[in-house]
């Protein structure tokens, strides 16, 4: 299936027609005949696809669109479950070196020496779907999907039908125990299910993972019960008490043994490994057994075995620092490089995209791949017409690994990377870093403000989900409004609300042009233009404009971090924008800071903002044009102050200095923990310092602290202050 982004309007129109027909037919079978011919999941996928295409092409929405008929189908709804301990994901390693890096990071963080042993468990990474089972006093009371990690769906009744999942645990489990693991389907069960589906004239599933997922999300548990599913337990969520000391074991491997004793299924291949060599041997071993296991795995998971070390290591964003998934090699395929297209991004970067002859890699049709940059094309010596090997790993954009020289067509010429922007024809150059003398890998258009591609991409970025998030104002509309002279800079978006008739007119003309195009493509005669539109069509168009105006109006109030992100400053994304917003809290303070004489210096002192980023921000505000455009934008906006940092931990908002030798943790670890509790860690003591944590051997800083009358704690007292908090 083509990505929605890649559809042109003719294709989109045709697909919407087809979807409307198909969905109506499925509705009829479901309601009228009580004999659906596709799974709920497949049906949901059709509706989602329809909605996605409509979102991108609002003008093509059919009067009889399935999206107008909400509830046409009893919507498959499960109750929501909030995970009391979030269900996290894992970081990936794709080769041996990345596994070694992982162990290195763990050792460094824990302050261990290079060859100190760190025992890990190595566990097959089951390719199914994760589920959480809540046992209270040993009785299964709730089962949930992972969902987005914070909130999942209540599928208790379905999970209870799985034989591997005990309804009551043996032995003496903790009073509350959330067991987490993977629901999966064996190859045998999968083949049998598909055979049955086929015999019954029902569609077959693509792979065991999909069929397991489809099976646990059946509204009728009787259906789930007929699907031979399995479960392996591998981790846990909430456990009564919460502290590690209350857990039934002190290690990951010990916990798995306990799970087994409670009657849960644990993967029999799990092994405890002591060295990198042992880990990698285990990995190769499993890889060679992979085909014969009888169920799908997509890698091996390594977890630091000792739970006290896990607690010290903690988490970085959504993954634990104490675990990593070592994935099996990605799937590869051969195809033909049909063309190289250059796209110009928001920052003027010329990005080469490979257009490929469509090919299936690991169940997904691939027709585009990234070529990264000029040097990469040269390294591959990729030429149009070449046969190439592509690789797809997980959800990442497919890559071209190499070309196959023997298959090169005669006369294929080396690719010449354009030296001019394909959009505005300005020179495209590779900047040389003044300090390092290094040439940038990317060639950039020098057109800046005159480059339409950059203008349009910046506007698209401005309205995107994590910036202004203006519903209904998608990429196509931005392009259209820009082309018609309605949009040049962000302020113009808000000015649209003053000219709804103009917007209507542009949209109506566009729609007329589109339907002409469609008719022409279908070989039909041109419509005699009567000048009048059918009433329902006109009403629908009015509604589109009305909704758009309302959506823009709603965003005239915006939070400071979103505003900063939306500006599209080079190197400043969501995270940096938030850092800046949290540092300045109000728009006034932010603008003052950015336009002050010592702005650059101040930026460089913000925790988490590096030199390159600080300079990019400074450059942005140094350019009078940017400041003026921002001024015009602000005339439309009310910018909300950031909430002052949460006072939830005893040290949030405090400035802390560590000095001397710490015995229970490394400096790095101490800093990470303090920061995660909302404290600011500084390297020097001043009157602004709130707490100095002094270990043995503390010298001048301790004296300064005493001189400033700053509270001084030893490591023990500090740990007590921050309590059992991770
Ligand atoms: S541990 C905080 N162990 O992989 C760690 N996950 O990419 C939580 N998975 O969502 C996960 N086998 O669905 C863990 N032995 C295993 C696993 C495993 C498969 C899945 C799980 C998780 C995903 C993360």
């Amino acid at each position: 299936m083509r990505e929605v982004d890649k559809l042109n309007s003719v294709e989109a129109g045709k697909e919407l027609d087809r979807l409307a027909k198909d969905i109506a037919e499925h509705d009829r079978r479901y309601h009228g005949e009580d004999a659906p011919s596709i799974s709920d999941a497949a049906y949901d996928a059709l509706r989602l696809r329809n909605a996605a295409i409509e979102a991108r092409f609002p003008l093509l929405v059919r009067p009889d669109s399935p999206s107008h008929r909400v509830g046409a189908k009893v919507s498959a709804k499960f109750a929501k479950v909030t995970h009391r301990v979030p269900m996290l994901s894992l970081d990936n390693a794709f080769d041996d070196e990345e596994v070694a890096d992982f162990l290195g990071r763990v050792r460094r963080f824990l302050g261990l020496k290079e060859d100190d042993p760190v025992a890990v468990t190595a566990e097959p990474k089951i390719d199914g779907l994760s589920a959480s089972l809540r046992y209270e006093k040993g009785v299964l009371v709730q089962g949930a999907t992972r969902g987005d990690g914070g909130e999942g769906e209540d599928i208790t009744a379905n999970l209870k039908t799985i034989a591997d999942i005990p309804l009551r645990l043996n032995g003496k489990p903790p009073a509350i125990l959330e067991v987490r693991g993977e629901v999966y389907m064996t190859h045998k069960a999968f083949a049998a299910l598909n055979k049955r589906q086929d015999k019954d004239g029902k569609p077959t599933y693509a792979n065991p993972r999909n069929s397991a997922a489809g099976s646990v999300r059946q509204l009728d548990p009787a259906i789930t019960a007929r699907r031979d599913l399995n479960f392996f337990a591998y981790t846990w969520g909430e456990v009564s008490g919460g502290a590690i000391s209350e857990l039934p074991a002190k290690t990951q491997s010990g916990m798995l043994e306990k799970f087994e004793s409670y009657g849960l299924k644990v993967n029999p291949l799990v092994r405890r490994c002591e060295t990198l060599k042992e880990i990698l041997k285990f990995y190769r071993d499993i890889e060679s057994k992979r085909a014969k296991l009888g169920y799908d795995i997509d890698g091996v998971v390594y977890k630091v075995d000792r739970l006290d070390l896990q607690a010290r290591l903690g988490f970085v964003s959504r993954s634990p620092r104490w675990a990593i998934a070592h994935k099996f090699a990605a799937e590869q395929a051969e195809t033909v490089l049909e063309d190289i297209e250059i796209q110009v991004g928001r920052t003027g970067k010329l990005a080469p995209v490979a257009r490929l002859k469509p090919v299936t890699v690991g169940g997904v049709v691939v027709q585009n791949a990234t070529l990264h940059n000029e040097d990469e094309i040269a390294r591959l010596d990729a030429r149009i017409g070449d046969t190439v090997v592509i690789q797809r790993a997980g959800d990442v954009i497919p890559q071209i690994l190499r070309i196959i020289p023997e298959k090169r067509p005669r006369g294929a010429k080396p690719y010449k990377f354009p030296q001019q922007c394909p959009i505005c024809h300005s020179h495209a150059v590779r900047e040389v870093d003044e300090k390092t003398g290094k040439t940038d890998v990317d060639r950039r258009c020098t057109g800046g403000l005159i480059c339409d591609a950059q203008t349009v991409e910046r506007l698209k970025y401005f309205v995107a989900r994590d910036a202004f998030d203006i519903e209904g104002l998608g990429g196509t509309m931005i392009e259209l409004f820009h082309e018609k002279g309605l949009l040049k800079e962000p302020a113009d978006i808000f000015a649209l609300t003053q000219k709804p008739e103009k917007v209507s007119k542009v949209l109506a003309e566009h729609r007329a042009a589109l339907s002409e195009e469609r008719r022409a493509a279908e070989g039909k005669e041109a419509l005699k233009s009567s000048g009048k539109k059918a009433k329902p069509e006109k009403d629908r168009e009015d509604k589109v404009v009305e909704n758009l105006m309302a959506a823009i109006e709603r965003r005239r109030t915006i939070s400071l971090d979103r505003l900063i992100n939306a500006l599209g400053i080079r190197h400043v994304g969501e995270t940096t924008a938030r850092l800046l917003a949290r540092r300045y809290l109000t728009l006034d303070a932010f603008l003052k800071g950015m336009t002050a004489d010592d702005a650059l210096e101040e930026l460089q002192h913000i925790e988490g903002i590096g030199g390159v980023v600080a300079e990019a921000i400074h450059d942005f505000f140094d350019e009078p044009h940017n400041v003026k455009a921002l001024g015009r934008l602000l005339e439309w906006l009310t910018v909300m102050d950031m909430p002052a940092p949460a006072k939830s931990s005893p040290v949030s908002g405090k400035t802390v200095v560590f000095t001397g030798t710490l015995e229970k943790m490394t400096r790095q670890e101490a800093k990470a923990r303090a920061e995660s509790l909302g404290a600011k860690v500084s390297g020097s003591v001043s009157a602004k310092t709130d707490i100095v944590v002094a270990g043995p051997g503390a010298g001048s800083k301790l004296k300064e602290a005493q001189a400033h009358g700053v509270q001084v704690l030893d490591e023990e007292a500090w740990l007590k202050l921050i309590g059992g908090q991770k």
Side-chain angles (χ1 to χ4, degrees):
M1 211 175 348
R2 297 243 300 168
E3 287 159 58
V4 173
D5 284 1
K6 302 278 151 40
L7 295 176
N8 64 35
S9 52
V10 176
E11 292 163 333
K14 282 194 183 154
E15 197 174 338
L16 287 178
D17 294 348
R18 201 172 54 239
L19 283 165
K21 214 171 113 228
D22 290 354
I23 294 173
E25 174 62 15
H26 291 308
D27 284 345
R28 193 184 59 75
R29 288 195 200 167
Y30 189 94
H31 293 292
E33 300 170 9
D34 210 8
S37 61
I38 57 170
S39 68
D40 288 358
Y43 176 88
D44 289 348
L46 291 179
R47 288 189 74 104
L48 281 176
R49 173 100 182 151
N50 187 72
I53 299 176
E54 287 181 345
R56 190 164 167 244
F57 298 94
L59 295 172
L60 297 183
V61 176
R62 294 168 52 100
D64 64 345
S65 161
S67 55
H68 298 331
R69 279 174 296 125
V70 199
K73 170 159 188 288
V74 216
S75 67
K77 279 258 149 61
F78 294 96
K80 297 269 182 256
V81 175
T82 304
H83 299 301
R84 292 184 218 202
V85 175
M87 290 182 78
L88 300 155
S89 55
L90 294 169
D91 230 4
N92 293 320
F94 293 100
D95 55 33
D96 296 0
E97 206 180 317
E98 289 179 2
V99 177
D101 288 350
F102 161 70
L103 291 174
R105 276 199 303 278
V106 166
R107 285 202 183 88
R108 268 198 307 285
F109 195 92
L110 295 173
L112 300 174
K113 284 200 288 304
E114 224 171 278
D115 37 13
D116 282 344
V118 182
V120 302
T121 60
E123 314 174 4
K125 185 170 188 297
I126 318 297
D127 196 8
L129 73 146
S130 46
S132 185
L133 310 171
R134 186 178 175 86
Y135 288 92
E136 287 178 6
K137 298 199 182 110
V139 177
L140 178 60
V141 294
Q142 189 174 59
T145 61
R146 173 173 187 272
D148 62 5
E151 193 178 63
E153 287 175 322
D154 186 332
I155 50 165
T156 314
N158 295 349
L159 291 176
K160 280 184 172 171
T161 70
I162 299 176
D164 287 347
I165 297 180
L167 301 182
R168 179 180 283 280
L169 297 178
N170 300 330
K172 284 210 163 50
I176 295 171
L177 174 64
E178 272 178 25
V179 175
R180 289 175 177 175
E182 203 86 351
V183 176
Y184 67 98
M185 193 178 261
T186 63
H187 293 157
K188 209 168 135 204
F190 171 67
L193 169 63
N194 265 355
K195 204 166 149 195
R196 225 161 59 215
Q197 293 279 106
D198 208 27
K199 204 172 114 224
D200 299 346
K202 293 186 185 157
T204 51
Y205 284 100
N207 54 47
R209 207 201 74 79
N210 281 355
S211 70
S215 301
V216 295
R217 296 191 72 260
Q218 294 287 332
L219 276 182
D220 177 2
I223 300 182
T224 314
R226 276 189 275 126
R227 307 276 172 93
D228 197 358
L229 293 166
N230 290 84
F231 180 82
F232 279 132
Y234 50 64
T235 191
W236 57 94
E238 191 185 6
V239 181
S240 14
I244 354 176
S245 55
E246 308 210 21
L247 289 171
K250 291 192 171 1
T251 56
Q252 166 73 15
S253 47
M255 284 296 285
L256 293 182
E257 276 166 29
K258 284 284 177 197
F259 281 177
E260 273 195 301
S261 78
Y262 300 149
L264 291 153
K265 287 273 179 323
V266 171
N267 191 294
L269 299 169
V270 176
R271 254 270 295 284
R272 193 166 167 279
C273 300
E274 305 261 2
T275 62
L276 177 64
K277 206 168 145 205
E278 219 180 307
I279 289 173
L280 296 177
K281 183 170 175 302
F282 179 82
Y283 174 84
R284 310 251 179 274
D285 226 41
I286 296 288
E287 196 174 27
S288 68
K289 287 192 189 127
R290 185 180 180 188
K292 286 183 229 107
L293 286 180
Y295 50 86
D296 280 348
I297 60 173
D298 58 348
V300 177
V301 183
Y302 309 125
K303 301 174 186 166
V304 170
D305 198 32
R306 269 174 54 184
L307 301 183
D308 59 334
L309 297 186
Q310 285 191 7
R312 283 176 55 192
L313 285 156
F315 299 85
V316 214
S317 71
R318 306 198 49 77
S319 346
R321 239 189 227 109
W322 44 264
I324 199 154
H326 188 181
K327 301 291 277 276
F328 292 133
E331 300 188 71
Q332 299 182 356
E334 253 181 59
T335 187
V336 175
L337 175 61
E338 293 186 326
D339 200 3
I340 296 176
E341 203 179 287
I342 304 290
Q343 294 179 345
V344 184
R346 163 172 74 87
T347 58
K349 171 174 153 182
L350 269 49
V353 178
R355 300 286 178 217
L356 305 167
K357 187 163 171 229
V359 61
T360 310
V361 195
V364 172
V365 179
V366 170
Q367 45 195 347
N368 302 310
T370 168
L371 276 162
H372 301 287
N373 52 52
E374 187 169 352
D375 292 349
E376 174 72 0
I377 300 179
R379 185 187 70 79
L380 293 163
D381 184 21
R383 305 181 185 190
I384 291 166
D386 267 340
T387 296
V388 296
V389 177
I390 60 164
Q391 165 169 306
R392 200 187 129 256
D395 298 331
V396 299
I397 307 168
Q399 315 274 319
I400 295 188
L401 288 186
R402 61 194 146 86
I403 61 146
I404 303 179
E406 307 86 67
K407 296 198 179 169
R408 170 166 289 168
R410 214 174 274 193
K413 292 190 198 64
Y415 180 74
K416 276 215 197 74
F417 202 92
Q419 314 285 305
Q420 286 185 339
C421 170
I423 307 298
C424 74
H425 308 290
S426 302
H427 277 297
V429 298
R430 293 176 66 168
E431 292 163 11
V432 178
D433 187 313
E434 281 167 28
K435 280 189 209 129
T436 61
K438 269 202 190 143
T439 307
D440 194 356
V441 290
D442 294 315
R443 194 171 279 279
R444 281 175 206 279
C445 163
T446 53
L449 298 168
I450 67 142
C451 180
D452 283 347
Q454 292 184 52
T455 307
V456 167
E457 291 310 312
R458 266 201 298 266
L459 287 167
K460 285 185 189 167
Y461 185 85
F462 185 87
V463 300
R465 174 90 44 95
D466 46 13
F468 270 71
D469 190 18
I470 298 179
E471 216 176 300
L473 189 55
T476 333
M477 251 194 228
I478 297 253
E479 280 164 26
L480 178 67
F481 291 162
H482 175 262
E483 189 188 309
K484 300 290 177 191
L486 284 173
L487 288 187
K488 271 209 190 59
E489 58 174 49
D492 299 340
I493 295 173
F494 296 94
L496 290 176
T497 55
Q498 309 282 300
K499 36 191 152 185
E501 310 79 35
K502 253 206 187 133
V503 172
S504 279
K505 191 160 159 264
V506 166
L507 290 178
E509 281 168 8
H510 179 64
R511 188 184 174 85
L514 275 185
S515 42
E516 257 331 294
E517 212 178 286
R518 264 168 87 187
R519 298 183 70 82
E522 286 164 13
K524 290 186 191 147
E525 242 176 82
L527 266 183
K528 287 253 160 36
S529 129
S530 66
K532 269 205 193 119
K533 251 185 264 134
K535 185 152 183 314
E537 201 174 300
K538 172 88 177 59
D539 287 351
R540 189 153 22 91
E541 230 157 64
D542 288 348
K543 194 83 198 146
V544 169
V545 176
E546 198 184 307
N547 290 345
L548 179 62
M549 298 295 124
I552 297 174
E553 197 62 44
R554 273 200 297 280
R555 291 295 183 265
R556 288 185 58 186
T557 303
I558 190 95
S559 61
L560 181 59
D561 53 338
R562 276 182 184 260
L563 171 69
I564 298 175
N565 184 23
L567 297 178
I569 304 170
R570 208 161 143 196
H571 304 303
V572 177
E574 220 183 327
T575 316
T576 308
R578 206 169 302 129
L579 275 178
L580 286 168
R582 291 218 176 112
R583 162 72 181 74
Y584 290 98
L585 300 178
T586 68
L587 174 68
D588 269 1
F590 173 64
L591 293 179
K592 267 204 201 104
M594 293 304 103
T595 46
D597 290 340
D598 61 349
L600 183 59
E601 213 197 321
E602 195 171 325
L603 280 164
Q604 283 162 341
H605 280 104
I606 300 177
E607 190 82 42
I609 292 187
V612 178
V613 182
E615 237 160 84
I617 302 168
H618 182 248
D619 286 351
F620 180 93
F621 285 95
D622 214 24
E623 171 65 57
H625 170 87
N626 287 335
V627 178
K628 283 191 196 136
L630 177 57
R632 288 190 289 268
L633 171 65
L634 291 174
E635 285 172 24
W636 294 94
L637 303 179
T638 306
V639 180
M640 288 183 294
D641 296 348
M642 296 295 284
K647 298 215 167 44
S648 56
S649 97
V651 297
S652 54
K654 303 232 163 128
T655 301
V656 182
V657 174
F658 292 97
T659 181
T661 316
L662 301 179
E663 287 167 336
K664 298 238 162 51
M665 51 192 169
T666 62
R667 245 338 140 70
Q668 188 196 9
E669 186 183 356
K671 182 166 181 272
R673 254 173 106 177
E675 281 172 355
S676 75
L677 293 170
K680 190 168 165 269
V681 178
S682 165
S684 56
V685 178
S686 73
K688 286 192 200 142
T689 311
D690 296 296
I691 302 172
V692 168
V693 182
S700 61
K701 286 183 194 164
L702 179 56
K703 288 208 187 85
E704 273 171 61
Q706 283 154 349
H708 282 107
V710 174
Q711 181 182 19
V712 178
L713 299 175
D714 63 11
E715 194 178 358
E716 199 75 29
W718 164 256
L719 287 174
K720 210 163 148 204
L721 174 68
I722 61 176
Q725 325 215 26
K726 266 191 207 164

